[in-house]
Amino acid sequence: MSGLHDVVRFLEVDLFQSPDGLFREGDGFARSQALMAALGDPQDAVPAVHVAGTAGKGTVATAVADAASGPLRVGLHVSPHVHDLRERFTVDGRLATEAEVVALLDAVRPTITAMAAGPHGPPTSYEVSLAMALLHFRDRGCDLIVVETGLGGLYDTTNTITRADKLAVVVRIDHDHEAVLGSTLTAIAAQKAGILTRGGEAVVLRPEDPAVEAVVADEARARGCRVRWVEPGGRGGPVPHLDEDAAVATAVLDVLGARTGHDLAGRLRPLDALALPGRYERVRLAGGGEAVLDGAHTPLKLAAFVDRLHRTHGPGRRPWVFGCKPDKKAGAMLDLVLAEASHLCVVGFPIRGGDVPAGPSTDPLVLAALAAERAPDVPVTVAPDPAAAAAFVARTAGHVIPVVGSFYLLSALRPLLATP
């Protein structure tokens, strides 16, 4: 490989596979185990914090890594990356260099070739990029790694981490990826609880549904895992999601601090001060105002985004940009967007790379029809592609413009936003 572009092409094109079977019991997870074993099990080389959940896991993982960096050398792996593959290869807040990423893939290539001829077939893009990150963290001498699950937990490639001192973390549990994880919250919870450490410790945001809590508690007992429950909400009503995320991060840092002898919880910064690509990412616009990019792709995540938008920028109607993948609950998300929008731009975008089927997003004409049914008084602009959406943003510059619905949308649109 000669450069980062070639690495990305190899991962997103040459290794692309459908996720069918990837996160289920059987060959998908066995392939992940075989890949890690062939590379010397780098997932178990360093103590780990392993974070699962439907919403908030990226924020919690980043907050924990940020606070622990300094006293410890910390590797952070988040999924998905939004703007740069190297977001998956972060040590103490610094991205790996392009040369390091190229060298990592070169180191893994012989194993990929050998597996392609074996019973499991070639590993997927996600499996290889995770393995590269784990090798990077090991070789950089990290004291701790913080790893966000890609999807679910039980059969996710990250669940090859089996160290007895792994600290498992489970944040909010809600509907998402139902075709893979199940259509009920209890089924989804069983997948998330699959990361709980056998004979170890876990920090869990207590689910509001008692049946969901029971699933996690039963799995913890079966695994002999001690759970530190973090209480959701508060006496005055629901607590904003960022506050819940901060409470979970604090509990995780308390456990890590007791293990390491450092006051890590005291180093936790306000979560809205953390810069996460595609998570309330603020982009100044050349014409004034700013775009706020967020990959929120479920009603729960979008509601959390709206709450943060109100807290940060104040309530009020403003232009919005929205697009989503075909498997998402477009109608429910549009209900949230239309309650806030003075003008809505619905956009189509390509889906490629990672471990999802390549293809188009939800047709923006379909989204426009749904919007017209729900809020006929809100003007709708149909953008067939990200370039047309960027033109909409330019025309409405001067406002705070939310751009939401998919990380793929953000990845395609962000380079087209002109900034001063």
Side-chain angles (χ1 to χ4, degrees), residues 373-400:
E373 292 174 1
R374 286 166 159 75
D377 294 335
V378 176
V380 177
T381 294
V382 176
D385 53 43
F392 171 85
V393 171
R395 291 195 302 272
T396 53
H399 297 275
V400 174

Side-chain angles (χ1 to χ4, degrees), residues 6-211:
D6 293 327
V7 173
V8 171
R9 178 173 178 79
F10 178 78
L11 291 175
E12 295 190 348
V13 178
D14 296 354
L15 281 185
F16 176 79
Q17 292 186 17
S18 165
D20 291 344
L22 178 61
F23 302 102
R24 301 180 192 276
E25 185 174 15
D27 190 59
F29 190 67
R31 184 177 59 242
S32 299
Q33 293 173 311
L35 173 63
M36 296 303 171
L39 295 172
D41 286 321
Q43 79 281 7
D44 284 333
V46 179
V49 175
H50 189 194
V51 188
T54 307
K57 61 183 183 292
T59 300
V60 169
T62 301
V64 168
D66 177 77
S69 295
L72 306 173
R73 174 170 285 189
V74 182
L76 172 65
H77 181 271
V78 295
S79 175
H81 68 273
V82 182
H83 307 308
D84 189 324
L85 174 69
R86 297 176 300 157
E87 293 164 21
R88 300 174 184 257
F89 308 87
T90 303
V91 175
D92 288 345
R94 292 186 292 275
L95 302 180
T97 66
E98 292 194 14
E100 286 173 328
V101 175
V102 170
L104 286 164
L105 183 55
D106 286 343
V108 176
R109 285 293 292 271
T111 300
I112 297 172
T113 301
M115 288 187 64
H120 300 297
T124 66
S125 169
Y126 178 71
E127 292 165 342
V128 171
S129 62
L130 174 63
M132 291 165 59
L134 294 167
L135 289 170
H136 182 59
F137 301 152
R138 183 195 67 188
D139 295 345
R140 288 292 306 276
C142 287
D143 304 302
L144 176 74
I145 59 173
V146 183
V147 179
E148 176 187 0
T149 59
L151 191 156
L154 180 58
Y155 301 124
D156 188 70
T157 300
T158 59
N159 209 28
T160 54
I161 302 172
T162 57
R163 291 178 61 115
D165 60 355
K166 180 184 82 171
L167 179 59
V169 182
V170 181
V171 292
R172 281 178 296 282
I173 297 172
D174 200 66
H175 293 280
D176 197 13
H177 303 292
E178 294 177 16
V180 176
L181 301 181
S183 60
T184 66
L185 285 182
T186 52
I188 293 170
Q191 293 289 321
K192 308 295 185 184
I195 74 164
L196 296 182
T197 315
R198 295 187 184 279
E201 293 182 274
V203 172
V204 179
L205 179 65
R206 191 185 298 276
E208 295 184 358
D209 185 333

Side-chain angles (χ1 to χ4, degrees), residues 236-300:
V239 170
H241 285 177
L242 269 188
D243 294 347
E244 289 186 340
D245 293 342
V248 173
T250 298
V252 171
L253 292 166
D254 280 341
V255 174
L256 295 176
R259 292 182 181 183
T260 63
H262 298 289
D263 177 18
L264 300 180
R267 295 173 53 85
L268 180 65
R269 290 197 289 162
L271 269 57
D272 56 8
L274 298 176
L276 287 77
R279 285 86 165 178
Y280 212 87
E281 180 182 358
R282 300 171 66 172
V283 179
R284 290 197 307 154
L285 301 173
E290 63 181 306
V292 184
L293 280 59
D294 199 286
H297 56 265
T298 70
L300 174 70

